Amino acid sequence: MHKYIKYLVPLLLLFVSFTANDNANHPVLSTINDRWVDSVFSKLTPDERIAQLFMVAAYSNKDKKHEEEILKLVKDQKIGGLIFFQGGPVRQAILTNKYQKAAKVPLLISIDGEWGLSMRLDSTPRFPRQMALGAIQNDTLIYQMGQEIAYECKRLGIHINFAPDADVNNNPLNPVIGSRSFGENKENVANKSIAYMKGMQDNHILATGKHFPGHGDTDSDSHKTLPVINQSAERIDSLELYPFKKLIEQGLGSIMVAHLFVPSLDSTANKASTLSKYIVTDLLKNKLNFKGLIFTDALNMKGVSKFYEPGMVDVKALIAGNDVLLFAENVPRAIEEIKKAVERGEITQEEIDMRCKKILAVKKWCGLDKIKPIKLENLTTDLNNRNAELVNRKLAEASVTILKNKSELIPLKNLDTLRIAAISIDNGQTNVFQNVLKNYAKVDLFAIDKDARKENYDSLLSKLKKYNTFIVNFSSVSNSPKKDFGLTPQTEYLLKVLRQQRMGRVVLNIFANSYILGKFNEAEKVDALLMSYEDTYYMQDASAQIIFGGIRANGKLPVSVSDYFKQGDGITSAKSVRLKYTIPEEFGVKELQLARIDSIVLNGIKEHVYPGCQVFIAKEGKVLYNKSFGYHTYENKTPVRNTDVYDLASITKIASSAIAMMSLVEKKGINLDEKLSTYLPELVGTNKQDIILREMLTHQAGLPAWLLFWPKTMSKGEYKKSIYSSTQTDSFPVRVAENLYITRSYSDSIYNAIVKSPLGEKKYKYSDLGYYFLQRIIEKDTQISIDKYNERMFYSPLGLSTLGYKPREKIDVTNIVPTENDTKFRKQLVVGDVHDPGAAMLGGVAGHAGLFSNANDLGILMQMLLQKGDYGGNRYLDSSVVNEFTKCQYCVSNRRGLGFDKPETDSAKDSPVCDCVSYLSYGHTGFTGTMTWVDPASELVYVFLSNRVYPNADENKLAKSGIRNSILKVVYQYLN
């Protein structure tokens, strides 16, 4: 037995050192003495134990020859693991299954995925680089990212992610770390590294702190040469090592040692830290008491490979104290050289055995004792899951940093005073950032390539002279200090001209490495400056919303970039003042659950209930569903887009007449309990004189439902020439439809017909006619037309670029959805002219019909009402008047509010809305196939827009189908 003592003693010492640590969850400490570990270890030959120390580079985008080379190493050499680089997830999964099946001992599969799998693989989610994450003030979000990356790794059969990068980047010229670091503040780096690490390791994906002892203060790249760290041991201990110490205290599973020359720690000429026993064994293992796995950085990097041949570098790395030899270039030769080193006494087999057991312990911890093949079905879909999108959104929202905000310019206010130009300096194309801006206001889009010639920039500047607010976004994909991070002189020129010519206020948003600010002279001179760190979908989306106040900004600059911009700088913006655009998962609702809405809508299209539609849903001030479906017509030529507008029909009653009346009740003191003739004296002596405004607004004034005006203007199917003209002239100035104009005086004929109409019993009867009177009252009191009044008071200040009357005057006709193919009156397809004949004969402006909008803008207006008249930091209506108009007025016999429809309380009667809503809710429907509803109890805004009247309005399939309310039921099922 005595001949085995020399083998048992080191293992006993190893056992004591591990069990002395009370961290039961440590990837090595908790499993080193597991039965599976012992069993596998006992079956390995000395050569196979050496082979377990190798992790070889594998690719899923290379040829069959590469695949066979890896397979040979797995089968013949019995290597311990693989690090996958470029390729795709399905291809990698197929190869992993093949390699694992061939392995005697299950392979540790790793990836270098600091910002997720997409750092190496296509078709996978990309998370922000660590510099962007360094701006975040809530480290829980970093933990959540770690969790999601862990899920994706496990789904793809990966066990180790070589992250986080724990380098403190305090050298702006660092060519290899830079944006890969959390920043220059050691505590911020440590805290975020721990959050990232725990997010992964709590889900059994091994984290790797790198690049020990700290790669942040270099100006050269260890992939190309051996960088030098000329700092004292004391400075390195207090700064560079700080995050690693904290990670070790928190149970970090592995560390990667960098290829650096650090004279204060090991002065041996040209000796990389990876090969230094002083650094790996004495410092990391002994002084810092690190018990986890120690990886070399890739052994093919010039930081070590230029000084030693393959095989020899592996031996030296092993002697230095590393456990895993990463990216070995010649495994068979390396194994032979290691065996020779054992024979020479440079390293013992016992030391190799101990490292082998550590690797096996990690394999056990990762679940490789119960390995299963990776399921290929739905793999890409599972990786690109909705939680990944939610995490990405949260990270982007929390990282965007406001560095300057002169006169509190952002969030932008007083939108009716702004003429906004959004200029993208990138590749000459508009982008997500610009399109999100258009959700909030009328914004004209411009784009120019950052490398375009000066004359192109001058041409652009000449087009910008009519604007007074400029939102400039600069995007760059370069992280290289030598390339000025992608900054071009032309960009500086544009901003300089805008500033010097005082053309207006400038908001600059930079999607680039934050160190660009040290070279961007004009950046500190703009009115407002946002640092968005990266040119990604989520950063573009978040920063656009921050500019308009849909999201608050909380980010802080993680590095100092100039005398003007310092680490920790960042202005926290005011609370959210406008709608935020997000996804259902923010409410804990899965997109798949709300996909039932898609099914309901698409079935309506299939059944020819409508050719297309828009659906908008906002809850608690957050838009979680805003989709367009189908086409403008059944010919399927023009798909419906979110920017397209629909004829709102009777929604005009609340979105125009009611809100205008609210304003006049509040500001002018109109009394809703006064007689109609008080405000329209010409009605004295008629049967309308004693109508009470409140009764008229609730449809119980006894008015007829409607009157048909147009038949009297035609004779035998032809237009009366005294009334209509095919061309617009002074005598026929009012547009009814394309090539159809009516005399201005005919509006009096319409009005007189209404005045002479009979009155019925004062009970609830829905009627359009009262809104002709309301229009007169509003226009008499305001001295301007109702369309201009509402545009001035509501639509323009709210930023509603699509909501309004007469859309042809401001919207391209290709963005206007047609309504009916009117074969009787207008004898044409109605596009951009109001569908309602009476409103059309008034020129498209009426109290009961005439408004057009997309779902988004109508949703904003309704959100303002939900918020009791407050929106965007402005108060439009007093809360008391909103409450008064939206409550039930005569609840026993009439469900209506003032203009607003309400849920029916009598179960024996039909209700305009499903019984899922609260009785506090209110809204309206429209004849053309529209509906909007607000529920204060659940803070919900709902908009449904369609052109169900196409090609004709004869059969109301939409009302019979119950589609609008079926959608609401789904919403309440999952969101209430």
Side-chain angles (χ1 to χ4, degrees):
M1 291 290 293
H2 66 280
K3 65 180 180 180
Y4 297 110
I5 292 177
K6 66 176 183 177
Y7 296 106
L8 292 172
V9 170
L11 291 175
L12 181 61
L13 292 174
L14 180 66
F15 170 77
V16 171
S17 67
F18 284 144
T19 54
N21 193 304
D22 62 357
N23 191 344
N25 295 318
H26 193 281
V28 173
L29 303 181
S30 62
T31 51
I32 190 69
N33 298 298
D34 182 83
R35 287 183 181 180
W36 182 85
V37 174
D38 291 337
S39 173
V40 173
F41 177 80
S42 66
K43 295 173 185 176
L44 297 176
T45 67
D47 282 11
E48 290 171 346
R49 293 171 191 173
I50 294 173
Q52 283 295 302
L53 312 186
F54 288 90
M55 185 167 274
V56 175
Y59 297 79
S60 58
N61 66 346
K62 289 194 174 183
D63 57 14
K64 193 73 175 178
K65 180 183 176 182
H66 170 75
E67 180 183 328
E68 292 301 324
E69 289 172 351
I70 299 298
L71 202 58
K72 183 175 177 62
L73 288 172
V74 172
K75 284 182 175 180
D76 298 349
Q77 302 299 326
K78 298 179 176 59
I79 57 175
L82 299 172
I83 173 173
F84 270 100
F85 283 93
Q86 281 75 21
V90 175
R91 288 169 285 162
Q92 179 170 314
I94 292 170
L95 289 175
T96 299
N97 285 340
K98 178 179 285 192
Y99 297 150
Q100 290 288 23
K101 186 176 181 180
K104 177 179 179 179
V105 179
L107 298 161
L108 270 179
I109 305 297
S110 67
I111 196 165
D112 191 13
E114 294 167 18
W115 48 90
L117 300 180
S118 71
M119 185 170 172
R120 303 298 175 188
L121 303 178
D122 61 36
S123 308
T124 55
R126 182 194 189 284
F127 296 93
R129 286 179 175 239
Q130 290 186 188
M131 187 68 77
L133 302 178
I136 294 174
Q137 302 304 295
N138 179 6
D139 292 343
T140 300
L141 298 178
I142 314 298
Y143 179 86
Q144 292 172 359
M145 182 191 76
Q147 285 182 304
E148 175 56 32
I149 290 175
Y151 163 77
E152 294 169 19
C153 285
K154 292 178 82 169
R155 181 66 180 86
L156 194 52
I158 295 170
H159 313 107
I160 302 171
N161 185 20
F162 291 122
D165 188 316
D167 297 314
V168 180
N169 200 87
N170 44 26
N171 187 337
L173 299 179
N174 194 321
V176 64
I177 303 301
S179 62
R180 295 168 63 192
S181 164
F182 286 116
E184 69 181 41
N185 182 299
K186 65 180 183 180
E187 292 183 355
N188 192 38
V189 171
N191 292 338
K192 287 178 168 54
S193 294
I194 289 168
Y196 192 173
M197 177 265 288
K198 287 191 171 182
M200 290 191 292
Q201 290 192 178
D202 285 354
N203 293 277
H204 278 251
I205 294 297
L206 194 74
T208 306
K210 62 185 187 184
H211 305 81
F212 188 86
H215 209 317
D217 194 10
T218 65
D219 56 8
S220 56
D221 185 350
S222 53
H223 293 84
K224 301 175 182 178
T225 187
L226 181 61
V228 180
I229 305 291
N230 281 315
Q231 297 294 344
S232 68
E234 292 76 17
R235 209 299 286 272
I236 291 171
D237 180 70
S238 65
L239 183 63
E240 275 80 3
L241 293 183
Y242 182 84
F244 293 101
K245 292 176 184 178
K246 294 297 181 181
L247 281 163
I248 291 169
E249 289 174 6
Q250 294 296 319
L252 177 66
S254 66
I255 280 179
M256 179 182 287
V257 182
H259 304 316
L260 303 167
F261 178 44
V262 192
S264 62
L265 300 182
D266 187 341
S267 60
T268 307
N270 295 326
K271 177 169 280 189
S273 48
T274 331
L275 310 182
S276 170
K277 192 170 184 179
Y278 294 111
I279 292 174
V280 180
T281 297
D282 295 347
L283 176 57
L284 180 54
K285 286 186 172 181
N286 297 336
K287 185 177 179 181
L288 300 185
N289 197 33
F290 180 62
K291 303 300 182 184
L293 277 187
I294 301 175
F295 288 87
T296 67
D297 206 340
L299 293 177
N300 69 329
M301 292 166 61
K302 295 300 182 183
V304 289
S305 65
K306 69 183 288 187
F307 301 105
Y308 302 97
E309 293 184 1
M312 295 307 301
V313 71
D314 305 81
V315 171
K316 291 186 176 296
L318 209 56
I319 292 171
N322 295 284
D323 298 313
V324 183
L325 305 171
L326 188 66
F327 214 131
E329 294 187 273
N330 190 329
V331 174
R333 181 180 175 185
I335 291 176
E336 290 303 314
E337 293 296 340
I338 291 169
K339 289 165 66 177
K340 292 177 184 178
V342 172
E343 291 173 3
R344 294 192 298 267
E346 294 173 339
I347 187 170
T348 66
Q349 183 66 43
E350 291 80 15
E351 289 175 295
I352 291 171
D353 290 349
M354 284 189 286
R355 295 174 200 184
C356 177
K357 285 206 75 174
K358 287 172 68 175
I359 292 167
L360 294 175
V362 169
K363 290 187 176 185
K364 163 65 180 179
W365 181 84
C366 292
L368 281 170
D369 58 325
K370 299 175 182 177
I371 186 171
K372 295 180 180 179
I374 303 163
K375 293 181 180 180
L376 301 181
E377 186 179 4
N378 297 323
L379 176 59
T380 303
T381 301
D382 291 346
L383 294 175
N384 293 277
N385 62 82
R386 296 288 285 184
N387 186 62
E389 179 174 352
L390 178 62
V391 170
N392 249 322
R393 284 180 172 275
K394 289 181 178 179
L395 294 171
E397 291 168 13
S399 63
V400 176
T401 306
I402 299 176
L403 290 170
K404 191 174 181 184
N405 195 15
K406 185 178 179 182
S407 302
E408 298 184 344
L409 175 57
I410 51 178
L412 294 176
K413 297 172 281 293
N414 303 318
L415 300 183
D416 52 328
T417 67
L418 306 183
R419 300 185 302 280
I420 305 172
I423 306 133
S424 175
I425 305 175
D426 187 1
N427 56 7
Q429 298 178 349
T430 56
N431 51 30
V432 171
F433 172 74
Q434 292 183 308
N435 289 326
V436 173
L437 293 175
K438 290 177 72 68
N439 284 335
Y440 292 99
K442 185 181 187 305
V443 179
D444 291 336
L445 307 184
F446 300 88
I448 190 168
D449 193 299
K450 59 177 176 283
D451 294 314
R453 295 179 178 180
K454 180 177 177 293
E455 50 262 38
N456 297 118
Y457 275 84
D458 286 334
S459 175
L460 172 61
L461 283 163
S462 67
K463 297 175 184 176
L464 298 177
K465 291 181 179 179
K466 67 178 182 178
Y467 300 93
N468 62 12
T469 304
F470 306 97
I471 303 175
V472 181
N473 73 276
F474 173 81
S475 303
S476 171
V477 295
S478 176
N479 279 297
S480 173
K482 292 182 179 179
K483 296 180 180 179
D484 291 338
F485 304 102
L487 182 64
T488 62
Q490 295 95 314
T491 302
E492 295 265 34
Y493 171 71
L494 176 74
L495 292 166
K496 188 174 182 179
V497 172
L498 289 175
R499 175 175 56 84
Q500 290 183 341
Q501 294 187 7
R502 298 182 180 179
M503 294 173 66
R505 296 181 296 178
V506 177
V507 177
L508 174 61
N509 191 9
I510 300 175
F511 300 100
N513 189 309
S514 50
Y515 284 117
I516 197 174
L517 289 170
K519 301 175 178 291
F520 209 148
N521 296 323
E522 285 297 320
E524 64 187 57
K525 299 171 185 176
V526 297
D527 298 281
L529 174 65
L530 289 84
M531 172 51 63
S532 297
Y533 301 101
E534 299 179 7
D535 187 16
T536 65
Y537 173 92
Y538 299 106
M539 288 292 185
Q540 290 190 28
D541 188 328
S543 57
Q545 295 196 53
I546 284 171
I547 287 172
F548 279 97
I551 299 172
R552 294 185 67 186
N554 291 297
K556 303 291 182 184
L557 195 64
V559 290
S560 296
V561 295
S562 68
D563 292 336
Y564 196 88
F565 299 115
K566 301 288 188 180
Q567 185 270 322
D569 286 354
I571 301 168
T572 300
S573 61
K575 66 177 182 179
S576 300
V577 295
R578 292 190 176 92
L579 284 173
K580 173 184 177 180
Y581 295 81
T582 185
I583 57 177
E585 282 74 9
E586 185 166 336
F587 293 91
V589 177
K590 296 179 181 179
E591 181 190 38
L592 190 61
Q593 292 171 317
L594 293 190
R596 287 181 57 191
I597 295 174
D598 299 40
S599 299
I600 293 168
V601 168
L602 292 172
N603 188 62
I605 294 173
K606 180 182 177 182
E607 297 297 324
H608 277 211
V609 177
Y610 41 76
C613 68
Q614 294 175 349
V615 181
F616 172 100
I617 301 163
K619 182 174 173 62
E620 298 169 12
K622 300 173 183 178
V623 180
L624 55 99
Y625 193 101
N626 187 18
K627 291 186 179 182
S628 294
F629 299 87
Y631 293 83
H632 283 204
T633 67
Y634 291 117
E635 287 70 30
N636 295 356
K637 292 181 179 180
T638 306
V640 180
R641 296 155 294 186
N642 283 5
T643 51
D644 292 339
V645 300
Y646 281 87
D647 184 332
L648 299 185
S650 284
I651 290 177
T652 302
K653 292 180 173 72
I654 62 171
S656 177
S657 294
I659 61 170
M661 285 299 293
M662 288 183 193
S663 174
L664 297 182
V665 167
E666 178 185 338
K667 295 179 173 62
K668 299 263 187 170
I670 284 185
N671 187 342
L672 296 173
D673 295 309
E674 277 285 357
K675 296 177 181 179
L676 188 55
S677 57
T678 301
Y679 302 102
L680 297 176
E682 68 271 19
L683 297 179
V684 173
T686 71
N687 63 355
K688 309 297 187 301
Q689 69 175 7
D690 294 329
I691 289 177
I692 304 299
L693 290 182
R694 190 181 301 273
E695 293 175 340
M696 190 171 70
L697 279 162
T698 52
H699 299 278
Q700 63 175 45
L703 291 166
W706 55 286
L707 295 175
L708 202 56
F709 304 109
W710 66 265
K712 293 182 179 180
T713 66
M714 302 183 74
S715 177
K716 298 180 181 180
E718 298 296 324
Y719 301 114
K720 292 182 178 179
K721 293 182 179 180
S722 60
I723 299 175
Y724 294 107
S725 170
S726 60
T727 57
Q728 190 174 31
T729 65
D730 290 341
S731 300
F732 301 92
V734 180
R735 178 185 171 106
V736 177
E738 188 74 12
N739 300 320
L740 185 62
Y741 299 87
I742 195 169
T743 61
R744 178 177 284 109
S745 61
Y746 202 81
S747 61
D748 293 333
S749 300
I750 291 173
Y751 185 66
N752 291 333
I754 297 171
V755 171
K756 294 176 182 178
S757 66
L759 276 184
E761 184 182 352
K762 283 195 174 184
K763 63 179 183 180
Y764 173 54
K765 183 177 184 179
Y766 183 79
S767 172
D768 285 345
L769 301 187
Y771 286 83
Y772 287 85
F773 292 126
L774 287 175
Q775 180 181 2
R776 288 244 170 169
I777 293 173
I778 293 163
E779 293 181 345
K780 180 180 178 182
D781 267 35
T782 61
Q783 295 298 299
I784 56 174
S785 61
I786 190 172
D787 58 328
K788 292 179 180 177
Y789 181 75
N790 281 325
E791 180 70 26
R792 178 193 299 174
M793 297 297 295
F794 298 102
Y795 308 153
S796 183
L798 283 166
L800 310 182
S801 59
T802 69
L803 197 155
Y805 292 90
K806 298 190 286 189
R808 283 175 171 268
E809 294 183 359
K810 60 179 181 178
I811 296 171
D812 192 297
V813 71
T814 59
N815 291 110
I816 305 173
V817 180
T819 51
E820 186 174 6
N821 185 15
D822 184 357
T823 60
K824 298 176 181 177
F825 171 33
R826 284 157 286 195
K827 302 179 182 180
Q828 60 184 271
L829 178 64
V830 179
V831 185
D833 295 301
V834 61
H835 174 264
D836 181 87
M841 294 169 73
L842 295 178
V845 178
H848 68 290
L851 277 187
F852 286 71
S853 181
N854 67 4
N856 180 76
D857 280 359
L858 180 57
I860 291 173
L861 182 71
M862 302 309 287
Q863 183 69 31
M864 179 271 288
L865 295 175
L866 175 62
Q867 294 175 188
K868 308 295 184 184
D870 182 85
Y871 188 81
N874 294 326
R875 177 154 291 283
Y876 294 88
L877 296 166
D878 188 80
S879 60
S880 62
V881 76
V882 176
N883 289 336
E884 180 64 22
F885 269 71
T886 58
K887 75 178 184 181
C888 178
Q889 300 294 309
Y890 305 99
C891 301
V892 174
S893 58
N894 182 347
R895 67 175 186 261
R896 291 273 177 169
L898 296 168
F900 294 86
D901 206 351
K902 300 280 291 180
E904 182 57 67
T905 58
D906 186 346
S907 60
K909 298 178 181 178
D910 291 334
S911 179
V913 67
C914 62
D915 58 6
C916 51
V917 303
S918 78
Y919 289 123
L920 295 174
S921 68
Y922 53 87
H924 217 283
T925 57
F927 184 78
T928 51
T930 59
M931 179 179 187
T932 185
W933 210 264
V934 170
D935 193 343
S938 55
E939 296 185 64
L940 188 82
V941 173
Y942 168 55
V943 177
F944 178 95
L945 303 183
S946 78
N947 57 333
R948 70 96 193 158
V949 293
Y950 179 87
N952 63 71
D954 294 342
E955 184 181 5
N956 194 343
K957 288 185 178 180
L958 182 60
K960 295 175 183 177
S961 71
I963 284 174
R964 291 174 291 191
N965 285 328
S966 295
I967 293 170
L968 260 184
K969 288 178 182 178
V970 174
V971 174
Y972 276 83
Q973 179 181 353
Y974 294 111
L975 284 168
N976 211 22

